[in-house]
Amino acid sequence: MKKMNNKKVIEYFKKLIGDKNVLTSEWNKLPYSKGWRYGAGNTLAVVKPDKLSDIWKILQICVDEDIIVIMQAANTGLTGGSTPFGDDYDRPLLVINTMRINNIHIIKNGAQIVGLTGSTLYDLENKLKPYGREPHSIIGSTSIGASIIGGICNNAGGSLVQRGPSYTEMALYAKVNIDGKLDLINDLGIDLGSKPEEILDNLQNQNYRESDIQNTDKLGSDDKYSKIVREINKSSPARFNSDSRLLYGASGSAGKIAVFAVRLDTYVSPIENKVFYVGSNDPNVFWKIRRDILSKFKTLPILGDYLHRDCYDAAKKYSKDTFLVIERLGTTFLPTLFELKRRVDIIAKKLKFLPSNFSDRLMQFLSVFFPNHLPKRMEKFRDLYEHHWIIEMSDDGINEARDYFSKVFEENDGDYFECDAFEAKKASLHRFVSASAIGRYHILNAECLGEMMSLDIAFPRNEKYWFEKLPKEIDDMLEMKLYYGHLFCHVLHQNYIVKKGVDGEKLKNKLLKTYDKRGAEYPAEHNVGHEYFAKASLKKFYKELDPTNAFNPGIGRTSKNKNWK
């Protein structure tokens, strides 16, 4: 077959999905070729199809013309895993953005769903409410408009103690086989026909009956995590991205295949929820509480999010605008806000009299004019305690926690209070937006700071000294340290800004070696992207999925070359 040049390829795509859905100018491509926080690179074009069968046709052209494919949904990843990274690929590269294909099918009376390639967690949460059920993730990623499939492809963990990493063994996806041919794999457990385009069209149009949905032994969620997280004396972490237990088909695939749809379990919504706000100056008290709750409580917590006082303060100042936007305009506006910020910064770059990162500087300036947004009892605990823990219980677990907390602080440092609905919402939102604080601080003070590093580390379940005490020679090289995380799971997000002149990469390697000595795993939940080296089990999985390295090459700092050369 005669090869087309790049111009003819783009003409074909425009004819297939329409001119406005094929982006070729640098201005229009930038929101899709630059990561939300990390990584950027060149791309031949960004295509935005609205039919699954059109994605299949685009993939066929890319395979025939030897064009790299990066599948992308909401582009909300934190380690650059859904965008190009640099300009050293050995073939042209195409980004396929899937957000126009956002159908969600409710099946089995709400007990399961089928999410198509651009469907979001936010939409899924709303669709399930009438059924009295919830999706895997209901906070964090939901708020930033993240996709269902993005969570599955990264085994995203999140805050939810009872549910563990996002996982399914039921998916519909395309892969390039060892002979360089495109295959469609239907592991959805739904009879949709026999030919690729027939299968894809039937799925998108929901042209199947209840009788076509097979009862299968394949899992639609991680059914072992609630037991694993309770095993508090084990010397290995509860969850981490390279855990071979959870690498299966689309799950953990990190863009090495083209996922069209996944079939997932849903969860019964609690009748009642209650948030307990806990504070202490002694990390060992939190260690004791964690072990007691996980080993003795009948009901597992819904979540348990930790926040250090320094991170509390940074979020109060540098994440205030994000907090207010979510609180007053709702999570539906947040993806729009990020898109506006990107556009404003692109315009500002062209206007030399405006500073770099103009949108962040403007939003920070405006946030000063709003009053304190945090409740009085939280602010009192901020003054009293270094360590803060937001623990949410449900149903029978509420009285278990109430009885426990009423006694535990009689003999241990610290205190707690039960949040009312107003405080609960504020506490959870404050913890969520804290993730953006270090980035804003770094942007505003970049000229006098070194590099920023954001690491997510899974510590062993039996680790007593979970709160980091760094050696003096490392600590002296850091300008700022901010700590937050999911304490029941022993997943800590450890954010650093190094002092000006310090080699960030060398320091990062030193930090990672300290984690290795403690039996930790990393990354815990944000996946390798282009920031971490993929461990052997993960690299093996990627090569099995994508033997010719046609999809998302370079992920996990692997080879970007064809056939993994």
Side-chain angles (χ1 to χ4, degrees):
M1 181 178 173
K2 187 178 178 182
K3 295 277 184 184
M4 293 191 278
N5 59 36
N6 290 343
K7 186 178 177 183
K8 285 190 176 179
V9 168
I10 289 170
E11 285 174 0
Y12 171 82
F13 293 155
K14 286 181 176 180
K15 187 175 179 183
L16 179 67
I17 63 173
D19 286 19
K20 68 177 183 178
N21 298 312
V22 180
L23 311 180
T24 55
S25 73
E26 295 306 314
W27 172 275
N28 288 322
K29 289 190 295 184
L30 195 58
Y32 308 92
S33 61
K34 187 176 188 299
W36 187 48
R37 189 180 74 182
Y38 184 83
N42 288 334
T43 175
L44 175 66
V46 176
V47 296
K48 302 172 69 178
D50 65 355
K51 290 175 63 180
L52 293 176
S53 55
D54 284 345
I55 293 180
W56 176 259
K57 291 170 185 173
I58 290 166
L59 293 175
Q60 285 181 311
I61 291 295
C62 290
V63 171
D64 289 343
E65 301 301 320
D66 213 10
I67 295 170
I68 290 168
V69 171
I70 292 180
M71 299 294 294
Q72 179 191 88
N75 191 17
T76 56
L78 297 177
T79 56
S82 57
T83 58
F85 188 77
D87 303 318
D88 55 342
Y89 295 90
D90 64 344
R91 293 151 286 168
L93 184 151
L94 182 78
V95 171
I96 301 178
N97 184 276
T98 64
M99 293 302 287
R100 295 177 69 210
I101 309 174
N102 57 6
N103 315 52
I104 296 170
H105 304 162
I106 308 294
I107 61 173
K108 295 187 172 291
N109 200 32
Q112 290 188 329
I113 64 98
V114 176
L116 270 56
T117 184
S119 56
T120 66
L121 292 164
Y122 180 82
D123 285 345
L124 178 56
E125 185 178 349
N126 286 331
K127 280 208 165 196
L128 286 173
K129 279 178 183 174
Y131 296 86
R133 301 187 74 89
E134 296 176 343
H136 174 274
S137 299
I138 55 172
I139 50 177
S141 297
T142 309
S143 301
I144 57 174
S147 70
I148 295 169
I149 284 175
I152 291 294
C153 290
N154 291 305
N155 285 142
S159 305
L160 301 177
V161 182
Q162 300 167 2
R163 300 177 191 176
S166 303
Y167 181 73
T168 187
E169 294 170 357
M170 295 177 284
L172 176 67
Y173 59 91
K175 62 176 291 185
V176 177
N177 65 29
I178 191 70
D179 299 318
K181 303 296 182 186
L182 192 66
D183 290 334
L184 185 68
I185 312 297
N186 184 6
D187 281 340
L188 275 181
I190 302 175
D191 185 3
L192 295 164
S194 56
K195 295 180 180 178
E197 289 179 36
E198 175 192 15
I199 291 169
L200 295 168
D201 286 339
N202 281 338
L203 177 63
Q204 186 162 1
N205 298 325
Q206 206 167 353
N207 185 24
Y208 58 89
R209 294 163 302 199
E210 194 72 24
S211 59
D212 294 320
I213 303 171
Q214 302 157 14
N215 291 317
T216 171
D217 292 334
K218 288 186 176 179
L219 296 175
S221 59
D222 179 4
D223 63 345
K224 296 181 175 63
Y225 186 74
S226 59
K227 178 176 181 291
I228 289 168
V229 76
R230 284 187 181 273
E231 295 173 336
I232 56 175
N233 294 314
K234 296 285 187 180
S235 58
S236 59
R239 59 179 172 92
F240 52 97
N241 284 129
S242 61
D243 186 353
S244 55
R245 181 179 75 87
L246 297 173
L247 301 178
Y248 185 105
S251 296
S253 59
K256 297 305 292 179
I257 53 178
V259 184
F260 293 106
V262 291
R263 178 175 162 187
L264 304 174
D265 294 335
T266 66
Y267 303 82
V268 176
S269 301
I271 297 168
E272 185 183 3
N273 289 32
K274 174 63 74 173
V275 170
F276 296 83
Y277 199 97
V278 185
S280 179
N281 290 308
D282 184 357
N284 288 333
V285 173
F286 279 12
W287 174 76
K288 171 183 167 49
I289 291 171
R290 174 185 173 272
R291 290 174 66 85
D292 285 347
I293 290 176
L294 290 177
S295 62
K296 297 174 183 176
F297 276 33
K298 200 175 198 178
T299 306
L300 278 173
I302 290 177
L303 63 84
D305 274 1
Y306 167 77
L307 196 66
H308 185 264
R309 178 192 277 156
D310 292 345
C311 196
Y312 180 107
D313 291 345
K316 180 180 174 182
K317 182 174 182 179
Y318 296 107
S319 303
K320 184 177 181 181
D321 53 296
T322 307
F323 184 106
L324 294 172
V325 165
I326 296 174
E327 183 182 51
R328 300 185 184 196
L329 298 177
T331 54
T332 50
F333 183 73
L334 209 51
T336 305
L337 175 67
F338 292 142
E339 180 67 18
L340 285 171
K341 279 176 84 287
R342 282 171 172 164
R343 296 288 180 185
V344 166
D345 287 336
I346 293 168
I347 294 168
K349 273 189 178 180
K350 294 179 178 287
L351 303 173
K352 302 210 174 181
F353 61 88
L354 290 177
S356 61
N357 300 111
F358 176 69
S359 66
D360 282 283
R361 296 176 190 278
L362 177 63
M363 290 173 73
Q364 186 64 35
F365 172 75
L366 293 174
S367 71
V368 175
F369 296 98
F370 288 87
N372 185 6
H373 55 293
L374 299 178
K376 288 180 181 178
R377 288 203 287 181
M378 279 176 62
E379 291 285 76
K380 182 181 176 183
F381 264 49
R382 181 262 164 227
D383 294 336
L384 289 171
Y385 302 116
E386 179 182 358
H387 304 286
H388 297 234
W389 199 358
I390 302 158
I391 298 175
E392 185 174 355
M393 302 297 299
S394 63
D395 299 337
D396 293 343
I398 295 171
N399 281 332
E400 281 189 283
R402 190 172 281 146
D403 293 343
Y404 176 79
F405 287 130
S406 68
K407 296 170 187 170
V408 72
F409 292 114
E410 291 175 1
E411 299 178 355
N412 295 280
D413 173 81
D415 202 355
Y416 81 102
F417 64 87
E418 292 186 31
C419 296
D420 59 29
F422 173 81
E423 291 167 327
K425 184 178 179 183
K426 294 262 189 181
S428 295
L429 186 51
H430 185 58
R431 197 335 251 138
F432 168 62
V433 300
S434 66
S436 64
I438 196 164
R440 174 66 61 79
Y441 177 83
H442 190 259
I443 284 168
L444 297 178
N445 301 280
E447 66 282 350
C448 56
L449 298 172
E451 297 172 52
M452 180 178 73
M453 296 181 289
S454 296
L455 307 178
D456 59 306
I457 313 299
F459 289 103
R461 285 163 281 176
N462 65 350
E463 173 65 83
K464 181 174 183 179
Y465 303 104
W466 59 270
F467 185 68
E468 183 169 68
K469 296 292 182 188
L470 289 169
K472 188 175 185 304
E473 65 271 17
I474 291 180
D475 204 44
D476 287 346
M477 290 189 269
L478 296 172
E479 186 72 36
M480 176 182 271
K481 298 175 293 185
L482 296 183
Y483 298 108
Y484 60 92
H486 317 300
L487 204 50
F488 287 114
C489 306
H490 256 189
V491 168
L492 273 296
H493 298 288
Q494 312 205 142
N495 300 287
Y496 313 95
I497 295 177
V498 303
K499 290 180 177 176
K500 199 169 181 69
V502 171
D503 187 321
E505 190 65 23
K506 282 185 180 177
L507 182 57
K508 179 180 174 181
N509 290 332
K510 282 184 180 179
L511 284 166
L512 294 179
K513 282 178 183 175
T514 69
Y515 304 144
D516 291 338
K517 286 178 183 176
R518 297 166 65 188
E521 292 279 355
Y522 48 84
E525 62 185 24
H526 293 160
N527 218 342
V528 288
H530 290 279
E531 195 167 10
Y532 296 87
F533 285 96
K535 295 193 174 180
S537 60
L538 207 52
K539 193 184 291 189
K540 179 174 179 286
F541 179 60
Y542 292 161
K543 286 187 173 183
E544 287 170 353
L545 285 178
D546 185 19
T548 68
N549 211 13
F551 289 99
N552 210 9
I555 202 78
R557 299 200 180 186
T558 57
S559 170
K560 290 181 177 178
N561 296 331
K562 187 173 181 179
N563 298 319
W564 301 86
K565 289 180 181 176

